[in-house]
Amino acid sequence: MNTSSPAAAAARTDTAAGLLFVLIWSTGYIAAPAAMHGMGPFTLACLRFFGSALLIGLFIAWRRPQRPPTSLLIHAAIAGALLQAGFFGFTYTGMRAGVPAAAAGLITGLMPLTTALGAMLLLGEPLQRRALAGLLIGLAGVTLVVAPALREPGNLPAYGLLVLALASLSGGTLYQKRFVVGIDPVLSLLMQLLAAMIVMLPLAISIDGFEFHASTIAIAGLAWAILVNSCIGLLLYLVLLARGASGRVASLFYLVPPTTAVLAALVLHARFDGHDALGFALAACGVWLGLRPNTVPQPR
């Protein structure tokens, strides 16, 4: 009798679910430019946070989890200012300024490696040599892809916004790891979304004029970001977390940049030539190498 078959079947299920999570994460970079056909980047972020918070709030009202200490809720809100407002605000603004979806996914896809580096610098955690080597390889791949665009003088600020998005995502992940512990993850996400919406609302009003020009593509992009990226993606991640498969998701995170690039080529008809393929392959290898010790990404 083969006693290992149930474990093997569970592993295959977790891997399939992890691949689906990676695909959902990657589609966020495709939904954003679609949604921005009808609104500015801060308005998109604000509406995304509001819609996601509304749906998740209804789910929490049904579940009625135990209320944690107020201090934990405050820490979750601070993490949300970085993980949600900072990441999406900078990412959407950079994409609106001209950074292609594939390049945005490539830069922010280095998050597990930059988080590991930040954990060493800020939390005193040891940095595996494998992670440092992966970061260098990943940066080489990113440089290979974005270097041609950076030769245009006007593109540097736009790509700088994606670097800030990466810093916000990594910093928020570290803050959450350090201070947001012992709290229901869905409740933590709700606090993050509410805090991020409060941060984004003044910017959406003052910079974007909070204008929304309804069109099929804009509504579809916004709905996808709310329902698929935020809600379904979160639910899938929580299921994997409950099954103890977060490490398996992490081990697949290197697939995010190339998956985003393929989706951008198919859906947005973006360029993807041999030069780009080499850069994305290098970045994927770097993240794969750096993730061998297991760095868990924060779900989008």
Side-chain angles (χ1 to χ4, degrees):
M1 182 176 179
N2 186 2
T3 57
S4 66
S5 58
R12 288 194 296 270
T13 300
D14 291 342
T15 298
L19 289 170
L20 179 59
F21 176 79
V22 165
L23 179 62
I24 289 174
W25 179 300
S26 302
T27 61
Y29 297 99
I30 310 303
M36 282 189 285
H37 276 80
M39 67 199 83
F42 299 114
T43 303
L44 168 58
C46 196
L47 291 176
R48 172 178 178 154
F49 299 147
F50 173 76
S52 302
L54 179 62
L55 294 174
I56 292 169
L58 292 173
F59 178 68
I60 288 176
W62 173 68
R63 278 186 64 209
R64 296 186 179 181
Q66 183 178 1
R67 187 184 186 280
T70 302
S71 59
L72 275 180
L73 295 176
I74 293 173
H75 282 309
I78 295 172
L82 291 167
L83 283 170
Q84 304 287 343
F87 173 66
F88 288 111
F90 286 127
T91 297
Y92 290 163
T93 308
M95 294 179 71
R96 183 63 173 261
V99 178
L106 179 65
I107 295 170
T108 57
L110 295 178
M111 181 273 288
L113 303 180
T114 54
T115 300
L117 180 62
M120 181 197 70
L121 297 175
L122 301 176
L123 303 181
E125 296 184 4
L127 180 68
Q128 301 284 342
R129 283 182 293 179
R130 192 179 293 175
L132 182 58
L135 179 60
L136 295 176
I137 295 171
L139 287 174
V142 170
T143 302
L144 190 63
V145 172
V146 306
L150 293 181
R151 295 193 186 105
E152 300 292 331
N155 287 341
L156 187 59
Y159 281 87
L161 290 170
L162 266 298
V163 174
L164 291 176
L166 174 60
S168 294
L169 187 59
S170 298
T173 300
L174 291 172
Y175 187 92
Q176 175 152 312
K177 181 179 180 180
R178 175 67 176 82
F179 296 106
V180 188
V181 293
I183 181 175
D184 184 284
V186 182
L187 186 56
S188 174
L189 181 71
L190 178 62
M191 291 302 301
Q192 289 184 18
L193 292 168
L194 292 174
M197 185 177 65
I198 292 172
V199 172
M200 285 290 105
L201 185 57
L203 297 174
I205 293 173
S206 61
I207 298 177
D208 294 344
F210 211 75
E211 294 182 354
F212 178 76
H213 303 287
S215 66
T216 301
I217 188 171
I219 294 173
L222 177 61
W224 187 276
I226 293 172
L227 296 173
V228 178
N229 297 138
S230 290
C231 296
I232 296 178
L234 168 72
L235 179 61
L236 179 59
Y237 186 80
L238 291 178
V239 169
L240 287 166
L241 212 60
R243 290 171 60 92
S246 58
R248 194 173 299 276
V249 178
S251 70
L252 297 169
F253 201 66
Y254 71 95
L255 293 172
V256 169
T259 301
T260 303
V262 171
L263 289 173
L266 294 175
V267 179
L268 304 177
H269 307 292
R271 186 201 71 178
F272 190 67
D273 55 22
H275 179 271
D276 295 316
L278 178 59
F280 277 91
L282 273 177
C285 288
V287 176
W288 173 82
L289 180 64
L291 280 178
R292 296 288 290 177
N294 260 1
T295 302
V296 181
Q298 177 68 22
R300 292 178 57 197

